[in-house]
């Protein structure tokens, strides 16, 4: 099982360069970074985990800039977003960012896609909350048009692009309906999410990994109903606090990669956490 990591990198934590070098030297498989552009102070949306919103949410580094630094000082580890709030981006610009990072890293990028939880943050980007899933689907389709081998137009409900020259292209070739880098969708288990994964992704990025015994068979059924090859489905439990029994259970479910949560802390504390996680490598 590949052991990757995630962390809220901020202006107060270990740097992307230091962390990326340590991960590669120690044999970890990858680094995934979350995204929040800003956190409105006057916020009615509750923090999903309950209680006060942790300080790091309002201080996160831009994941693409941070991952670009990580790519420049490594050769092996994968680099991903966990997750990109696609609805909050201009899709033409985001397609360029993703393809550039994937190209410069030699195809090591994973696009983690999410729908978000912070209504006020999304509203400042002009996102209508009730249609954010449809908007995300539309913007991903537009991005796939730009990533296609030849100039490909796209006309959607929320946006369009003319047939265009758009380079660089993501390194990985098309996989069935999926064009672009490895793409995983995050979110709570359910028919809508599983249909979206089967339609235009490589797999699922479930936070915490709870309930997978019941959920994974349902996802596999939706995947196969969409005509996708069963062996191609990827389930990557995300932001996991590990123990041997948990990882063994994931392996029994066919999980080949897990993403462990690192503390949003300075260099000393983060390296101490990596020392503890080394037992799982």
């Amino acid at each position: 099982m590949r052991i990757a990591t995630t962390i809220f990198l901020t202006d107060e934590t270990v740097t992307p360069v230091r962390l990326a070098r340590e991960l590669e030297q120690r044999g970890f498989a990858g680094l995934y970074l979350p995204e929040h552009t800003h956190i409105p102070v006057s916020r009615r949306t509750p923090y999903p985990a309950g209680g006060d919103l942790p300080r790091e949410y309002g201080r996160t580094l831009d994941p693409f800039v941070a991952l670009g630094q990580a790519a420049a000082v490594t050769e092996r580890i994968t680099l991903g977003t966990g997750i990109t709030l696609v609805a909050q981006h201009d899709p033409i610009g985001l397609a360029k960012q993703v393809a550039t990072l994937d190209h410069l890293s030699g195809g090591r990028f994973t696009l983690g896609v999410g729908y978000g939880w912070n209504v006020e943050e999304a509203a400042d980007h002009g996102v209508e909350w009730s249609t954010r899933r449809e908007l995300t689907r539309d913007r991903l389709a537009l991005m796939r048009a730009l990533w296609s081998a030849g100039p490909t137009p796209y006309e959607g409900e929320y946006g369009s692009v003319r047939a265009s020259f758009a380079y660089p292209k993501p390194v990985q070739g098309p996989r069935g309906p999926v064009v672009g880098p490895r793409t995983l969708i995050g979110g709570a288990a359910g028919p809508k999410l599983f249909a979206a994964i089967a339609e235009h992704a490589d797999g699922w990025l479930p936070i915490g990994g709870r309930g997978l015994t019941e959920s994974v068979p349902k996802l596999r059924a939706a995947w196969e109903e969409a005509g996708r090859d069963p062996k191609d489905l990827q389930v990557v439990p995300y932001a996991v606090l590990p123990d041997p029994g948990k990882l063994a259970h994931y392996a029994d479910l066919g999980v080949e990669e897990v993403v462990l949560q690192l503390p949003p802390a300075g260099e000393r504390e983060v390296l101490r956490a990596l020392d503890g996680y080394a037992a799982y490598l």
Side-chain angles (χ1 to χ4, degrees):
M1 182 180 290
R2 300 188 303 277
I3 305 296
T5 60
T6 184
I7 182 174
F8 277 87
L9 286 180
T10 76
D11 56 324
E12 298 176 325
T13 67
V14 63
T15 67
V17 166
R18 180 75 167 115
L19 177 57
R21 284 175 168 155
E22 287 289 337
L23 291 172
E24 182 142 290
Q25 290 170 5
R26 292 164 180 255
F28 286 89
L31 173 62
Y32 291 75
L33 299 180
E35 175 182 51
H36 282 286
T37 54
H38 66 301
I39 300 294
V41 174
S42 57
R43 179 177 54 83
R44 295 190 300 274
T45 308
Y47 174 44
D52 294 334
L53 185 68
R55 173 184 177 88
E56 60 267 19
Y57 277 73
R59 306 187 76 98
T60 54
L61 303 183
D62 179 279
F64 290 96
V65 175
L67 289 171
Q69 282 200 329
V73 297
T74 58
E75 296 180 349
R76 181 188 56 80
I77 59 169
T78 59
L79 308 159
T81 53
I83 45 70
T84 297
L85 296 163
V86 172
Q88 297 181 186
H89 286 266
D90 165 63
I92 298 174
L94 181 59
K96 175 68 77 173
Q97 284 179 283
V98 167
T100 299
L101 180 53
D102 194 53
H103 168 74
L104 293 177
S105 67
R108 290 187 281 148
F109 182 67
T110 292
L111 177 64
V113 175
Y115 303 111
W117 60 268
N118 191 327
V119 177
E120 290 79 17
E121 177 186 358
D124 283 348
H125 287 277
V127 176
E128 180 65 38
W129 191 250
S130 63
T131 59
R132 72 193 188 284
R133 289 176 180 267
E134 293 78 9
L135 176 60
T136 298
R137 179 183 181 276
D138 194 70
R139 289 187 169 171
L140 284 170
L142 189 155
M143 292 161 64
R144 290 196 299 272
L146 290 169
W147 293 332
S148 295
T152 303
Y154 177 76
E155 184 71 38
E157 182 179 355
Y158 298 94
S160 62
V161 66
R162 297 171 174 84
S164 303
F165 298 110
Y167 290 86
K169 302 295 184 185
V171 173
Q172 191 169 357
R175 290 90 61 204
V178 185
V179 177
R182 180 185 187 224
T183 302
L184 305 173
I185 301 181
K192 287 185 178 180
L193 179 73
F194 291 167
I197 292 170
E199 179 188 12
H200 56 242
D202 294 296
W204 184 25
L205 200 64
I207 294 179
R210 294 178 182 174
L212 294 186
T213 302
E214 296 77 25
S215 299
V216 168
K218 296 176 182 177
L219 172 57
R220 286 191 175 127
W223 182 269
E224 294 179 33
E225 186 176 342
R228 306 289 299 275
D229 190 329
K231 73 177 188 306
D232 292 338
L233 175 61
Q234 301 176 45
V235 176
V236 182
Y238 188 79
V240 169
L241 297 176
D243 62 60
K246 187 183 295 186
L247 297 189
H249 176 58
Y250 293 160
D252 289 342
L253 292 172
V255 169
E256 297 180 349
E257 179 184 2
V258 64
V259 183
L260 306 186
Q261 181 70 62
L262 291 170
E267 183 175 311
R268 182 175 300 179
E269 185 175 344
V270 170
L271 295 185
R272 189 161 53 241
L274 289 179
D275 289 338
Y277 288 163
Y280 300 108
L281 295 176

